[in-house]
Amino acid sequence: MMYWVAKPPPFTGQPAIVKLVPETRGDRVYLGRNWFGRREGLPVLYLTGTPFEMGYANGVLTQNLIHRQEDTIVQLFHRVAPYRWTQFLMEFVVTCKNRHLAEHVIPEQQMEILGLACGCPDVHPEMGPYFNRILNYHGAQDISYMMMNSPLIHRGCTAFGAWGLRTRDGHLLLGRNFDWEAAPVFDEDRVVIICEPDDGIPFISLAWAGMAGCVSGMNRAGVSVTVNGAPSHLPDGAATPTCLVAREVLQHAHNIAEAAEIIRRRQVFVSAMFLVGSRADGRFVVIEKTSVRMAVREAGGENYLVCANHFLTPELQDDAVNQKFKRVDTSVSRFDRLTELLRNSPSPLDAADCAALLRDRRLPGGRFAGNGHRGSLNPLIATHAVVMDLTGGIFWAATPPHQLGRFVAFDINDPEKALPELAVAGDPTLTDGEYEKYLAAKAGLSDGWRALKQDDIAAALHCAQAAEKNNPGFYQNSWLLAEVLFRQGKYPEAAQACRKAMAGQPALAGERRQIEQLLDKAETQK
């Protein structure tokens, strides 16, 4: 396996930055010209210099966050693979599959990742060589894309771009939810990263500590990029992680044509969609990308463009995996809801309106089916959310939880400047008690299913009833209740609960199938 491990790029000499000691000045910690601090409660990291210097400063200044994230990843790894032989098997497969990963990462990004490895102490050497491990972490998002249909991975990113008559003053506006329910740490520890590289265009992104890639960002030339997962075939081997492709776009693209060329020439090992906007071009496009093909989707006659998780271009929409994904997952529901909101918007959009769209919790047609419904734009699982004004150069990043917190504003041309007057207020659910009730209902459902597995029927019944009280109308409450009633032999009542659950529009095809099977059994017993 050691022959397959990525080796750090050759590096001679000792940069001056490695001799620096972090200094605390006011509410920031500095390492040379780099610093880490907070703005309106949101962690902010400023990086500048060569690729190695930016990576090193990232590792030094955010090492506590990096360690917290890796501790969580290691815990998840041990939970999924509790036995040493299963751990070795997973390590063997990933190492083999990704043995050529470094060959698909451009030199400047390899140097930045090397800087990260040098700047942040390795607290998990048992997980393998550090440089290789960090390189593979940048493909974690892509691995989750391969599990799009897995009940273990809850995801469903949605984004949109709007311009012209659809927005106030004709500005190019973008909104994006990054839905990824891997662990609470990724929601709590989001970081705004401001980069001014020695070579390339300054940019700003919302990501996590220790990340050289990007999933949501905007550069000073007025180009934005967000990455959405798409249904994928299993890859044969490693290629470029999509977050590193997006990072290259941010650092080097001045318009849509340059962004498309960067995406075209990079081979990816999972399918993805890049929503790219350009102030110079005055519009947005969606670039649909697989490991072998690429297609560009334009807006047509509208002044807006919606991007969920399924392909829509003629070149890719008929792929069997794409068609199956549309049937079994929530992408179509979220796409349709966002489209109807944009189409029916009574007035031109501004930043607050964009945030309201990202926070919408209704299904297509305007029906509210309970908080946490995966078919809504806001199923309350987002690890981050952003709004961008490409025309004005303003970038808004949401504070936790999810996209409910205050959206803090940053000026791409003057990132040091505080802009509290441009902030978007938090969602009312954070102050009226609704979010706390949702959390109680969510915990109750989890406890209820656990009690049901342990044959504690009374506890499961109590949990189902409490969940319905705290989050009325959510189909999973009725589903749990139906399972309890069926165990009690109350078959007519169980069938009625199943029908109520089906009326709540279960989000996933697998859930619908299980509820229908329970309904059939209850009616047969009746």
Side-chain angles (χ1 to χ4, degrees), residues 44 50 97 115 127 143 235 285 318 339 418 450 514:
V44 181
T50 66
K97 284 280 188 182
M127 298 300 291
I143 293 170
V285 299
D318 294 329
T339 299
R450 190 179 305 111
Q514 292 181 62

Side-chain angles (χ1 to χ4, degrees), residues 136-150:
N136 276 270
Y137 285 155
H138 282 79
Q141 178 193 2
D142 302 69
I143 293 170
S144 73
Y145 289 171
M146 289 186 285
M147 302 177 69
M148 288 289 280
N149 297 324
S150 169

Side-chain angles (χ1 to χ4, degrees), residues 50-100:
T50 66
F52 180 89
E53 290 170 341
M54 290 194 297
Y56 185 83
N58 192 343
V60 170
L61 295 172
T62 67
Q63 59 184 267
N64 291 337
L65 297 180
I66 295 173
H67 290 159
R68 199 163 97 98
Q69 290 167 188
E70 187 166 29
D71 288 344
T72 300
I73 291 172
V74 171
Q75 291 169 10
L76 290 172
F77 176 66
H78 285 283
R79 191 180 310 161
V80 172
Y83 305 108
R84 181 56 196 147
W85 71 269
T86 56
Q87 294 172 10
F88 176 79
L89 181 62
M90 290 181 66
E91 291 169 358
F92 183 89
V93 170
V94 171
T95 305
C96 179
K97 284 280 188 182
N98 288 356
R99 63 189 183 275
H100 299 299

Side-chain angles (χ1 to χ4, degrees), residues 141 145 157 176-180 208 215 227 381-385:
Q141 178 193 2
Y145 289 171
C157 303
R176 184 269 213 285
N177 284 335
F178 188 89
D179 291 337
W180 190 46
W208 297 273
V215 290
V227 186
I381 63 172
T383 54
H384 77 237

Side-chain angles (χ1 to χ4, degrees), residues 103-118:
E103 299 170 17
H104 297 275
V105 177
I106 61 177
E108 65 182 25
Q109 292 175 350
Q110 288 197 45
M111 289 302 299
E112 187 165 343
I113 291 171
L114 175 62
L116 275 165
C118 293

Side-chain angles (χ1 to χ4, degrees), residues 326-344:
K326 289 170 63 178
R327 293 192 300 270
V328 303
D329 212 88
T330 64
S331 183
V332 173
S333 174
R334 290 179 283 106
F335 182 93
D336 290 347
R337 176 57 178 166
L338 185 50
T339 299
E340 72 181 19
L341 288 173
L342 287 167
R343 181 186 299 127
N344 300 328

